[in-house]
C-alpha cells in the first residue's frame, strides 16, 4: 500500500479505482467522514473527561481502517474479474 500522501490525482482513474462512479465514491467517502467526525468529537470529550468514551475513538478508527481495507480488496477482486472476462 502506498503511504506517500498525494494532493492530486487523475480523477477518472481514481473513480475507476474507487468503484467506477462518482456516487459510490461519494457515499463511501461520506460515511467515512461521518465516522471520523464521531471519532473526533468523542476523542475531544475523552481528553477533557477521561472517564467518558474511553475506547470509542480508537474503535471507530480501527473500524474505518478495516472498512477501507475491505473496500480496496473487493475493488481489486472486481478489477481482476473484469480483466479475466
Amino acid at each position: 500500500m502506498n503511504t506517500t500522501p498525494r494532493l492530486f490525482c487523475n480523477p477518472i482513474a481514481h473513480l475507476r479505482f474507487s468503484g467506477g462512479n462518482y456516487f459510490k465514491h461519494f457515499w463511501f467517502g461520506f460515511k467515512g467522514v461521518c465516522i471520523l467526525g464521531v471519532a473526533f468529537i468523542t476523542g475531544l470529550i475523552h481528553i477533557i473527561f477521561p472517564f467518558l468514551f474511553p475506547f470509542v475513538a480508537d474503535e471507530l478508527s480501527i473500524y474505518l481502517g478495516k472498512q477501507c481495507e475491505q473496500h480496496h480488496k473487493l475493488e481489486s477482486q472486481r478489477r481482476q474479474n473484469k480483466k479475466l472476462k
Side-chain angles (χ1 to χ4, degrees), residues 22-55:
Y22 177 80
F23 295 105
K24 284 183 180 180
H25 181 268
F26 175 84
W27 188 242
F28 184 78
F30 182 75
K31 290 188 292 186
V33 168
C34 289
I35 292 168
L36 285 175
V38 172
F40 174 76
I41 291 168
T42 57
L44 279 178
I45 293 169
H46 175 69
I47 62 173
I48 296 167
F49 303 107
F51 51 88
L52 295 175
F53 308 118
F55 302 107

